[in-house]
Amino acid sequence: MTSDTWHQRESYSFDRNTIAEIRRAANTGIYRIRGWGAKRVLPTLDDLVFLGASMSRYPLEGYREACGTDVIIGEGRAERPVHLDIPVTIAGMSFGSLSAQAKEALGRGASSVGTSTTTGDGGMTEEERGHSTKLVYQYLPSRYGMNPDDLRRADAIEVVVGQGAKPGGGGMLLGQKITERVAEMRTLPEGIDQRSACRHPDWTGPDDLAIKIVELREIVDWRVPVYVKLGAARPYYDTALAVKAGADAVVVDGMQGGTAATQDVFIEHVGIPTLAAIPEAVRALRELGVHRDVKLIAAGGIRSGADVAKALALGADVVSIGTAALIAIGDNDPAYDDEYRALGSAAGFWEDYQDGTDPAGITTQDPELSSRLDPVIGGRRLANYLQVLTLEAQTLARACGKSHVLNLEPEDLAALTVEAAAMAGVPLAGTGWTPGTSG
Amino acid sequence: MSTAIDLVEVPLRQLNQVLHDAESGGFDVLNPRGAHAVACGITTDVTVEVAGSVGYYCAGMHQVGTVVVNGNSGPGLAENIMSGTVRTTGNASMSAAATGCGGLVVIEGDAGARCGISMKGVDIVVGGSIGHMGAFMAQAGNLVVLGDAGADLGDSIYEAVLYARGEVESLGTDCVEKEMRPEHLAAVEHLLEAADMAASPSDFRRYGSARQMYSFHVDDIDAELAEGPGGTR
């Protein structure tokens, strides 16, 4: 008898991946912890298309006419607003989850195209400060490595309330990555499985947050902007409350947003997709009359210039990338396929950022593995990638007749699915029907 | 001679800027009236006396010098203190000395919930009692409580050391009582002296981490079977 799978039917409910997970759980007695972001099928920005120019719309010359990409955050409140040359930033990722070389590569790449990088749960390193001309300092519940001197060295402060991969959850860094340096920065014993706090220790709601933001501004003498980062859960209400608390920018991170380590059940089942989150955040900003004043930074699964342009057209001012930036500097490189396979994965599938065994030297603290990543080359790759994202976004904006990428608007979009039309608040392609608004 | 700054006449921003720009000296802050973020972010060796009660985050991220609140303090007193001394002569609300990395925080009265939460090296001496969840996830430093401690003291504690003279309502997860050895008696004596408080170190009991939550427990039945009699499954 053959085992020809053409004669066998795989269960939709209990497919091989599900069976493997049940077997893994039965063997270990612990939930699956992994990196990356949501992997299941979700409504995405791919479900939108640009309409482009036509009889009633003038396009701009693709190779000649100017199409601006700059954004200023914190103007009018901070003494030193953040000037970004492109509307794409690098999301918060900690030293500890990433190697020092990876942090340096991110800093080099972002700086060379005039944008910012962000620290993470674990404090600021010299590598990232030294190589980032614009560095956003995250202020997290754990306060690992929190230092007022670093706060003053930052170009902006980002109060992290939540993260798209795990709204309502704290960080996680397993023992194999808690080296002597990481442990010292976080004041933790070396080698423990570190589970960060999920709530801030000294404030408990939006009224407290408003006072906290004043304190942070006072400590830095009102020099730099303050962002508030939210995992996309209730973006309409959370954005409004962040504005009320005094944020200069609100970061909304959809459920496709990545992480270095958390429970798989969190990644796949908590939060809402980026496509659904952006319009809700924009609705809150518009109702409060602060859209384009308080900046919206959209994150979670941004991969291409098309994603950038669509997020901006929906009303975001900036997008933030994490997973895509890691891929740009070498994550999941096919050149390491043999090594990924030796670890039970393969290039293109590698998600075990928590293990510290990354052959590409990015999500690891192992000195030998880390040394494989050349931060100069990694920085160049990231700079090239960011340039492509920007060029693609400009291409689409010009095609829609816009002289600045921030002039893109929902009117430039149509949806390919009813779900995307409802979430984005744009018509289903080929119809005048926007579910929920036009009957 | 101290410089007087009256918060009825001077906005908070101006007060903090004066304190940030000062290289040394003494300052008397008058009429605080529960203001938030008073004397936060001090980086030089100044002495600040606040005449009255303050709101949230007084002396937040304090780095050098001394701040004394002659009254009660709101939430987050001396949060993330790095060094120096902060004292309140009255009570302190929740999250006193939260995430403090160094220095000394003295609360002459009682402290509310989550006193010393996520402390990372600060020394805290409380003359009265503390509320629930004291020293939650405390990583390093010492907490000395002359009175009682509320429920779940030291929940999920790492390497901080807790001393209580009075009754502890309950210990949190992974927090256990430990032996008071001579070095701990000496440590309490030193901290009481630094806080200018009188008590006998031998009256205190010590609490700390059982270190049972430091790592996930992961079973591996397959590996066990593979290594068992017969060698393979």
Side-chain angles (χ1 to χ4, degrees), chain B residues 23-196:
Chain B
E23 290 179 5
S24 60
F27 296 86
D28 292 325
V29 179
L30 310 178
N31 294 308
R33 298 182 178 184
H36 306 312
V38 169
C40 62
I42 288 177
T43 58
T44 54
D45 193 11
V46 294
T47 299
V48 181
E49 289 252 2
V50 184
S53 297
V54 292
Y56 284 55
Y57 311 131
C58 178
M61 301 197 199
H62 187 71
Q63 284 178 277
V64 194
T66 302
V67 174
V68 177
V69 178
N70 290 301
N72 301 317
S73 297
L77 171 71
E79 63 89 12
N80 216 86
I81 180 174
M82 304 300 290
S83 184
T85 302
V86 174
R87 174 185 291 267
T88 189
T89 61
N91 302 319
S93 185
M94 68 171 190
S95 305
T99 74
C101 298
L104 174 68
V105 177
V106 180
I107 298 158
E108 294 186 8
D110 297 327
R114 299 184 285 281
C115 177
I117 182 172
S118 295
M119 54 194 280
K120 295 169 170 57
V122 64
D123 291 327
I124 308 169
V125 181
V126 182
S129 298
I130 65 170
H132 64 273
M133 296 293 276
F136 177 51
M137 295 182 78
Q139 295 170 228
N142 298 286
L143 170 63
V144 179
V145 182
L146 276 71
D148 303 331
D152 297 321
L153 177 69
D155 194 293
S156 307
I157 189 172
Y158 292 97
E159 294 298 307
V161 184
L162 316 179
Y163 302 97
R165 185 169 67 166
E167 196 174 313
V168 174
E169 186 177 335
S170 64
L171 294 174
T173 305
D174 211 32
C175 185
V176 294
E177 184 172 351
K178 297 187 172 185
E179 181 190 359
M180 279 290 278
R181 296 194 297 267
E183 64 266 34
H184 304 116
L185 292 168
V188 172
E189 185 176 12
H190 169 74
L191 290 163
L192 289 169
E193 190 180 323
D196 197 20

Side-chain angles (χ1 to χ4, degrees), chain A residues 272-310:
Chain A
I272 65 173
T274 306
L275 171 64
I278 297 172
E280 283 291 275
V282 172
R283 184 162 70 92
L285 295 171
R286 284 191 194 282
E287 288 181 9
L288 292 168
V290 296
H291 186 225
R292 302 295 186 203
D293 175 18
V294 173
K295 304 301 183 194
L296 176 63
I297 303 174
I302 303 292
R303 306 149 299 173
S304 64
D307 285 347
V308 175
K310 290 171 187 176

Side-chain angles (χ1 to χ4, degrees), chain A residues 369-402:
Chain A
L369 294 173
S370 302
S371 68
R372 295 179 179 187
L373 180 69
D374 181 337
V376 176
I377 296 297
R380 279 178 59 194
R381 291 187 196 281
L382 178 63
N384 283 338
Y385 173 64
L386 290 168
Q387 184 171 307
V388 169
L389 293 184
T390 306
L391 288 169
E392 287 180 342
Q394 284 176 302
T395 298
L396 293 168
R398 287 194 184 98
C400 296
K402 313 298 188 193

Side-chain angles (χ1 to χ4, degrees), chain A residues 404-426:
Chain A
H404 196 290
V405 290
L406 292 184
N407 293 340
L408 286 163
E409 55 194 326
E411 193 273 340
D412 295 314
L413 297 168
L416 299 177
T417 67
V418 174
E419 290 83 356
M423 290 175 185
V426 302

